[in-house]
Amino acid sequence: RFNMFTAAKIGGEAAPGYSSGEAMRVMEQIVRNHLPSDIGVEWSGLSYQEKHVGGQTGLVLALAFLFVFLFLAAQYESWSVPVAVILSLPVAGIGAYLGIWICGLENNIYFQIALIMLIGLLAKNAILIVEFALERRRTGMSIVNAAIQGACARLRPILMTSIALIVGLLPLMFSSG
């Protein structure tokens, strides 16, 4: 029984190259086309969450960008300085979507969580570059030279952090079971 109705539990997984949302739509279409009208489909667990909360990726990403911007505006006490940090984030998002498209992967909940983590990591790196560039700008350097010096000063730590993250995730990537 499910929700006090006689029920049959069906478990499944999307075929490679298809998202779980596509598989759920196909299942609902099969029920509509091949079963009597008094038989319906209800979802439980992760499928229920996906069905009722799905399609909010844009809203979550927009809120992530907004909060990053507001925190930076408060930190730098400026509305214009955080723009330099925010400008790096869409490029990374486009790169992430391009990467899953090239690899034939789907935009699932794990990718969306990774995208939010990527926004945080890139914002941290951009914050450090902007911070170092601002210090050099205050000493009288031109904007271009301060930006170049800030980026050069932070390149090695950014690479070290990124490589450590990638190497730390490799066991998860190659695991099975």
Side-chain angles (χ1 to χ4, degrees):
R1 300 192 79 72
F2 184 77
N3 287 342
M4 297 179 50
F5 292 99
T6 303
K9 182 177 181 178
I10 300 173
E13 191 172 314
Y18 295 95
S19 70
S20 57
E22 291 171 323
M24 290 168 63
R25 279 191 295 280
V26 167
M27 179 63 75
E28 289 172 346
Q29 185 178 11
I30 289 170
V31 168
R32 274 194 310 272
N33 294 342
H34 298 289
L35 294 177
S37 62
D38 61 339
I39 295 179
V41 175
E42 285 294 326
W43 303 102
S44 64
L46 286 176
S47 298
Y48 175 82
Q49 294 297 324
E50 182 176 343
K51 190 73 174 171
H52 293 285
V53 185
Q56 294 183 351
T57 305
L59 175 65
V60 170
L61 288 176
L63 286 173
F65 280 108
L66 176 68
F67 282 112
V68 166
F69 180 80
L70 291 175
F71 287 136
L72 292 175
Q75 178 182 349
Y76 292 119
E77 297 178 354
S78 166
W79 291 105
S80 59
V81 173
V83 173
V85 174
I86 296 294
L87 286 177
S88 67
L89 302 182
V91 175
I94 291 168
Y97 277 104
L98 187 64
I100 66 164
W101 178 71
I102 288 171
C103 293
L105 301 172
E106 69 234 14
N107 178 0
N108 58 19
I109 187 71
Y110 301 109
F111 171 75
Q112 293 167 10
I113 291 169
L115 197 58
I116 299 298
M117 283 181 45
L118 179 66
I119 288 172
L121 181 66
L122 288 173
K124 176 191 73 88
N125 292 337
I127 289 166
L128 293 174
I129 291 171
V130 168
E131 189 74 34
F132 274 70
L134 281 175
E135 282 179 18
R136 282 155 178 80
R137 181 77 175 124
R138 287 185 193 116
T139 64
M141 277 189 175
S142 70
I143 292 175
V144 173
N145 286 338
I148 291 171
Q149 291 290 324
C152 288
R154 296 306 306 164
L155 179 62
R156 189 185 62 80
I158 288 170
L159 288 176
M160 299 281 287
T161 303
S162 299
I163 290 169
L165 175 70
I166 291 167
V167 171
L169 291 176
L170 284 177
L172 290 172
M173 192 169 112
F174 293 115
S175 67
S176 63

